[in-house]
Amino acid sequence: MFNRIPNKWLVVITVLTGTFTVILNNSMLNPAIPYFMNLFDADAVSAGWVITIFMVAMGMSMPLTGYLADKFGKKQVYIGGLMLFVTGSVLGSFSWDISAMIGFRAIQGVGGGMIMPLSMVLIFDAFPREERGLATGVWGVAAMLAPTIGPTLGGLLVELGSWQWLFLVNIPTGLLAILFSIRFLSQTKRVTDIRLDKPGFVTVTIGVGSILFALGRINELAHLYNALNLTLIAVGVFSLWFFVRIEARQDQPLLDLSIFRIKAYTYSVLIAMIGSVSLFGGIFLIPLLIQTVYGYGAIMTGLSFLPSALLMGLFMNVGGRMLDVKGPTIAAAGGLMVLSVSTFALGFLTMETALWFVFLLNGIRGIGMGLSNMPATTAGMNSIPEKLISRGSAMGNVVRQMSSALGIVFVSIYFEVRRSQILVNGGGDLQEASLTAINEAFIVLAVLTLVAVPLGFKLGREYKQTVKD
């Protein structure tokens, strides 16, 4: 069967399988946190670490991925990441307490941090520049679909099965991805004279790890004033500042920050940042809207994401084709505009709004996300030198990881603070106060996305100039 499929598309299938496994697993665990609190007699902070540690470990390992890929080969490092992830999944199913589960999730996170940046790099190696838009659009379906269907699947596994299946479900697809990688990924040339930028690795690891650790601990206003969180953020910011200073003097920097001088890449990273904030902000707000305001259950919440997921996947392919044929301007700027308008419309819901209308608006958000995100990212990666693709991908993934966490933190704090203010001022019951806070949060996200629309046009101009050169 595989003999009829061009090898370059087998590469896409391979990395899509691995990427989908990683992202789906993390999103499946979100609805299981209350269950783990009861199962292991853990408090909310300890149970929340099951999610936080994965994000922190992933963010800390990503900057090292480019160096490892150059040193040992992209194929070997990608397979190594898959093996770590599957190992963490197997061990996770045997967790005897919350601390053990957190440790095994950290192993998964390190593996995920090696898998995610290399997924796009491997596709770039397999496809010529003029076909990468379509290829990354197909691959991007995994990156965007998994967060939307994961919570529903996770809830069903916990309710109808056993919590161990939250980990065991990764093993078949993870092993399949390893087998595909061995069979279909090509060996890449190793850089023999490369050396590890140890000061850069230490400072970026501390910086990214501290900030992600702090963001993962913040889900209400009081956490912002927590001394440990403030200290972590301060340490993280200082470490990243020091990292930038170090990299400017290194002959072989861990992450070559000079790629930000390429404007097309910089614009693409900014678009990805804003897209991540909007995506994960919506993933946080929609369940609150459907369950807290309208009183539906987890299954209906999961169904509300299906139109968005399906349309996002479809329009990622459309956006990829547009990038290959006409460049990124229409896809990026148009997608951001669609995303902004549909998000803005979600800011004017009422208690009488029909649920199908929420489904529709969330679906239109999926169209905007599909059009703008992956074509912009691909255009930015196309604009940097081939030798820096691994480092550029790692950089983009670190930024996207931090932006996703920031988006969740922002909307969760805004929701909590604004709802409390409305209730204190006598602004109706809990449902009405929740709806008002959710509406306002969507409007803020819409404005943020609208501000990014000019970046789509700037990306198009710079990308066109890069292609000419």
Side-chain angles (χ1 to χ4, degrees):
M1 179 181 70
F2 292 122
N3 292 333
R4 299 179 180 179
I5 303 175
N7 189 73
K8 59 185 179 182
W9 285 106
L10 291 174
V11 172
V12 174
I13 293 171
T14 299
V15 298
L16 189 150
T17 305
T19 301
F20 189 80
T21 302
V22 172
I23 302 178
L24 181 67
N25 174 250
N26 200 41
S27 60
M28 280 197 306
L29 284 166
N30 283 297
I33 294 304
Y35 178 83
F36 290 144
M37 291 171 63
N38 294 326
L39 178 67
F40 296 121
D41 192 24
D43 57 31
V45 174
S46 297
W49 262 99
V50 172
I51 303 298
T52 304
I53 193 64
F54 182 89
M55 177 177 66
V56 173
M58 195 171 179
M60 291 172 68
S61 61
M62 278 179 177
L64 190 60
T65 302
Y67 163 79
L68 293 175
D70 291 340
K71 180 74 173 178
F72 301 106
K74 297 165 189 171
K75 177 177 180 176
Q76 283 75 10
V77 175
Y78 186 78
I79 292 173
L82 287 169
M83 293 176 68
L84 270 178
F85 188 82
V86 171
T87 300
S89 299
V90 173
L91 294 173
S93 68
F94 291 101
S95 298
W96 53 89
D97 59 23
I98 199 69
S99 297
M101 183 174 287
I102 291 169
F104 298 142
R105 285 282 290 159
I107 295 174
Q108 284 185 313
V110 173
M114 297 163 67
I115 294 167
M116 295 304 296
L118 287 179
S119 296
M120 180 173 282
V121 175
L122 290 165
I123 291 174
F124 270 53
D125 285 347
F127 284 81
R129 176 184 292 188
E130 64 273 12
E131 297 179 12
R132 290 171 179 171
L134 175 59
T136 55
V138 173
W139 166 75
V141 172
M144 293 299 183
L145 282 181
T148 59
I149 65 175
T152 304
L153 181 57
L156 289 172
L157 286 174
V158 170
E159 285 187 23
L160 304 178
S162 171
W163 67 266
Q164 284 87 352
W165 284 105
L166 294 171
F167 292 93
L168 294 174
V169 73
N170 304 320
I171 297 173
T173 54
L175 291 176
L176 188 63
I178 291 173
L179 292 175
F180 281 178
S181 299
I182 294 171
R183 174 67 178 83
F184 300 124
L185 296 184
S186 302
Q187 297 286 352
T188 55
K189 185 178 180 181
R190 301 181 185 184
V191 182
T192 55
D193 59 345
I194 192 172
R195 65 177 184 273
L196 178 62
D197 171 17
K198 294 179 181 177
F201 172 66
V202 171
T203 50
V204 75
T205 300
I206 293 174
V208 172
S210 297
I211 291 175
L212 286 176
F213 181 19
L215 292 177
R217 288 168 45 88
I218 299 171
N219 54 31
E220 59 183 61
L221 184 62
H223 294 164
L224 273 178
Y225 306 129
N226 180 275
L228 176 58
N229 291 338
L230 291 174
T231 302
L232 285 168
I233 291 174
V235 169
V237 171
F238 176 77
S239 296
L240 290 180
W241 172 81
F242 199 44
F243 168 73
V244 173
R245 297 290 299 272
I246 290 173
E247 296 305 274
R249 299 194 299 267
Q250 289 287 346
D251 295 331
Q252 296 184 9
L254 184 71
L255 294 175
D256 194 336
L257 301 180
S258 66
I259 59 176
F260 283 111
R261 295 173 186 164
I262 302 172
K263 293 181 179 180
Y265 178 79
T266 301
Y267 292 143
S268 75
V269 170
L270 290 172
I271 291 172
M273 286 175 60
I274 294 170
S276 295
V277 170
S278 182
L279 173 64
F280 283 88
I283 288 175
F284 179 87
L285 291 171
I286 292 291
L288 284 175
L289 174 70
I290 292 177
Q291 296 183 36
T292 304
V293 177
Y294 294 136
Y296 292 94
I299 294 178
M300 187 60 73
T301 302
L303 291 175
S304 71
F305 284 108
L306 282 181
S308 174
L310 293 173
L311 289 169
M312 196 183 303
L314 174 62
F315 278 87
M316 271 188 177
N317 286 305
V318 173
R321 291 178 183 274
M322 292 170 67
L323 169 65
D324 291 338
V325 176
K326 298 183 178 181
T329 305
I330 298 175
L336 287 169
M337 182 64 74
V338 170
L339 179 61
S340 179
V341 171
S342 54
T343 304
F344 192 73
L346 282 169
F348 293 90
L349 303 176
T350 68
M351 295 296 297
E352 291 74 35
T353 299
L355 194 58
W356 67 264
F357 190 64
V358 177
F359 280 41
L360 175 63
L361 292 179
N362 203 29
I364 297 174
R365 268 174 52 87
I367 293 174
M369 196 71 67
L371 279 175
S372 62
N373 197 296
M374 197 53 64
T377 299
T378 305
M381 293 286 288
N382 271 339
S383 302
I384 61 178
E386 293 291 329
K387 65 179 181 179
L388 294 177
I389 290 293
S390 295
R391 310 297 176 97
S393 180
M395 182 91 70
N397 274 274
V398 170
V399 171
R400 193 176 289 109
Q401 186 83 355
M402 296 180 73
S403 302
S404 302
L406 184 62
I408 293 173
V409 168
F410 168 74
V411 295
S412 62
I413 292 176
Y414 187 94
F415 172 77
E416 186 220 354
V417 172
R418 189 68 183 106
R419 183 175 66 169
S420 299
Q421 287 179 341
I422 294 169
L423 290 172
V424 169
N425 295 328
D429 59 18
L430 182 63
Q431 284 179 302
E432 292 175 342
S434 298
L435 179 59
T436 301
I438 291 170
N439 281 342
E440 292 178 1
F442 273 123
I443 291 174
V444 173
L445 290 176
V447 172
L448 177 65
T449 310
L450 184 62
V451 170
V453 171
L455 295 175
F457 291 101
K458 291 182 178 180
L459 170 63
R461 287 198 299 269
E462 293 297 332
Y463 181 75
K464 186 180 295 184
Q465 187 63 42
T466 301
V467 171
K468 287 181 179 180
D469 294 341

